Amino acid sequence: MQVTYWLEHAWLDTHVEPGVALDVSADGRIAAVRTGVDTPPPGAVALRGLTIPGLANAHSHAFHRALRGTVQVGSGTFWTWREVMYTVAQRLTPDSYFALARAVYAEMALAGITNVGEFHYLHHAPGGTPYADPNVMGEALIAAAGEAGIRITLLDTAYLSSGFGAAPEPHQLRFTDGTADAWAERVSALKERDGVRIGAAIHSVRAVPADQLSTVADWARDHRAPLHVHLSEQTAENDACLAAHGMTPTQLLAEHGALGARTTGVHNTHMTDADIALIGASSTGTCMCPTTERDLADGIGPAVALQRAGSPLSLGSDSHAVIDLLEEARAMELDERLRTRTRGHWTAAALLRAATADGHAALGRPDAGTLEQGALADFTTLTLDSVRTAGPVPRLGAETAVFAATAADVHHVVVGGRVVVSDGVHVTVPDTGRALAETIAALRD
């Protein structure tokens, strides 16, 4: 049955249009976009405020949500943060992973996110023994996204080494399949279905030996799947790669055929000019995660230079220090202003594209992220009368969304034509805060 949504104001990529009707067909796609519709048509669902395409969270580690607050105590480094992360990872079971991820993905939906790229490397039981179903942990994430009402690209991750060929440490045994061939055999058993894409990931050049990088890259190429990789997040990674291989991580990936238009480098923080040129010339994407990068004191990546070189930009909440894609978009611009002491590196529209169309494309969904005929009917409505958003005229809705709004201003979310969030309440996980509190507390017991 066709459903019509009437949008009081809609961001149509280049401008904000008042009075837009979206006809959504039974297959969950936008059948028609009608402008100049001043009042809701009979039977239409009225969405008041500013409607934008659904947001794409291109980089997530769902279980890191359990670290929020805990890892902000005291100081430390990325490496000390990692030890706390390992402790949480050891406690998860398929059931507790599902419960936690369901609550986390519901939090994402409340933040206007309609598609998540889950960088998944928690594959096996403690000690590294495979479960009877070797993909039960990945299936738990897929089921959690389904119950939370959002799409997922499961970026199944090869994680084979503790560092440049060294054997995994005890707390990394859950992550490893032993070899890239064994990883490929396991991940090939995962099947795509409605709302689910299967992609691949190289955890990092630290964690996948150089002679096995091409196995992962070839699997992604053969399956026409997205390929993501943590890239140059830390200067220590660059130094170790230079010592081991005489080249940067980017150069090593290029040598083994892992760059390209379906590849996204996550962070891309500490890059040489030659790295930037390689990333851009190969059309490899860049996923920036500013709230995590600043939380871990990783640094500010060269996003402007990467985009100018030809790298599409997307955004992720990564460790979930906060889950707010509008904040990620805002932070990318504001961090660059602090670094350069100049303003206006991206327009609000360009930042929204990174959070929507380009993010969905990085997750293998080029048919999402726009409000146009034929696109997936995934969209998010922000209130324009909160204490944060009240005041600007509606035609400045993009600027208001990026530079003033937060996840708290999301009032309605529709995925595939189906309402997931209504009046700021998740339809299937109505007490999301309690669900988060209970699932995280259980991991501490």
Side-chain angles (χ1 to χ4, degrees), residues 193-217:
R193 63 209 80 163
D194 186 38
V196 179
R197 284 228 60 194
I198 305 300
I202 294 164
H203 179 274
S204 59
V205 296
R206 299 191 316 273
V208 177
D211 62 358
Q212 299 185 65
L213 291 169
S214 61
T215 300
V216 184

Side-chain angles (χ1 to χ4, degrees), residues 264-309:
T264 297
V266 181
H267 304 302
N268 293 1
T269 307
H270 303 285
M271 305 217 123
T272 66
D273 290 345
D275 291 339
I276 292 169
L278 276 171
I279 294 289
S282 61
S283 299
T284 298
T286 295
C287 179
M288 303 296 290
C289 307
T291 64
T292 291
E293 289 150 5
R294 66 192 184 196
D295 182 51
L296 297 178
D298 287 342
I300 301 170
V304 172
L306 283 160
Q307 188 173 48
R308 286 176 178 166

Side-chain angles (χ1 to χ4, degrees), residues 69-139:
T70 303
V71 290
Q72 277 73 41
V73 176
S75 56
T77 66
F78 168 86
W79 307 102
T80 56
W81 170 91
R82 192 172 70 154
E83 294 304 314
V84 180
M85 179 270 289
Y86 287 148
T87 301
V88 173
Q90 287 299 100
R91 296 174 179 165
L92 286 160
T93 67
D95 288 343
S96 62
Y97 204 17
F98 164 78
L100 175 61
R102 176 177 177 267
V104 174
Y105 295 153
E107 181 183 359
M108 290 185 192
L110 288 168
I113 293 163
T114 59
N115 190 17
V116 61
E118 183 63 36
F119 201 100
H120 166 56
Y121 54 83
L122 189 54
H123 301 306
H124 306 299
T129 301
Y131 290 101
D133 174 358
N135 284 309
V136 67
M137 295 294 265
E139 291 291 351

Side-chain angles (χ1 to χ4, degrees), residues 282-369:
S282 61
S283 299
T284 298
T286 295
C287 179
M288 303 296 290
C289 307
T291 64
T292 291
E293 289 150 5
R294 66 192 184 196
D295 182 51
L296 297 178
D298 287 342
I300 301 170
V304 172
L306 283 160
Q307 188 173 48
R308 286 176 178 166
S311 179
L313 298 181
S314 57
L315 297 165
S317 62
D318 192 1
S319 68
H320 312 316
V322 298
I323 294 178
D324 188 337
L325 262 287
L326 299 174
E327 173 61 22
E328 303 294 347
R330 175 163 53 244
M332 191 161 68
E333 168 66 24
L334 298 187
D335 286 355
E336 191 66 20
R337 290 182 186 186
L338 284 175
R339 190 179 71 82
T340 62
R341 293 183 290 174
T342 60
R343 303 177 74 207
H345 302 277
W346 292 278
T347 63
L351 293 167
L352 277 181
R353 285 186 208 106
T356 56
D358 290 343
H360 290 290
L363 297 178
R365 293 197 180 276
D367 55 348

Side-chain angles (χ1 to χ4, degrees), residues 22 25 31 82 111 136 166 171 182 187 203 242 286 325 328 375 423-424 439:
L22 296 184
S25 58
R82 192 172 70 154
V136 67
H171 45 249
V187 74
H203 179 274
L242 285 166
T286 295
L325 262 287
E328 303 294 347
D423 292 322
T439 56

